[in-house]
Amino acid sequence: MRFRKTTTTDVLSDLDQLLGDVRALLSSKVKEVDPALSQLGHRLEQSVDRIRTSSSKAAEQSRALAQDADDYVHTSPWPVVGGALAVGVVLGLMFSKR
């Protein structure tokens, strides 16, 4: 089973589709019958807006952290190589002892 890499645009597209479906449902005559559905739709739109904002901020932060890590490795590679070597030795010792 292969897992598809989900991107931020995929998630936002799915949210837009869900919000469109909910809007279509709420724009029907049922909305006029029950005002609580109108309030529910408004709260749902607010939640989706918060999710959009949070996901875009998280994507920006992860890109910035990845860029910082890349810059660090390029400017001083030997501490990274030493750390990777140390982790490899520790894991090798742990798995070699039965």
Side-chain angles (χ1 to χ4, degrees), residues 8 52-68:
T8 305
R52 273 194 194 118
T53 303
S54 298
S55 66
S56 64
K57 282 182 184 178
E60 288 173 18
Q61 288 175 349
S62 63
R63 280 189 212 105
L65 286 174
Q67 185 61 44
D68 290 345

Side-chain angles (χ1 to χ4, degrees), residues 1 4 6 9 14 16 18 22 37 40 47 56 60 62 64 70 72 80 89-90 95-96:
M1 173 183 256
R4 185 172 70 90
T6 305
T9 55
D14 291 344
D16 284 335
L18 174 65
V22 170
L37 286 177
L40 176 67
S47 297
S56 64
E60 288 173 18
S62 63
D70 187 52
Y72 177 76
V80 176
V89 167
V90 169
F95 289 124
S96 69

Side-chain angles (χ1 to χ4, degrees), residues 72-86:
Y72 177 76
V73 168
H74 281 95
T75 56
S76 53
W78 290 113
V80 176
V81 170
L85 179 65

Side-chain angles (χ1 to χ4, degrees), residues 24-38:
L25 178 66
L26 291 176
S27 67
S28 66
K29 299 288 182 190
V30 176
K31 181 176 164 182
E32 295 171 3
V33 174
D34 192 2
L37 286 177
S38 176

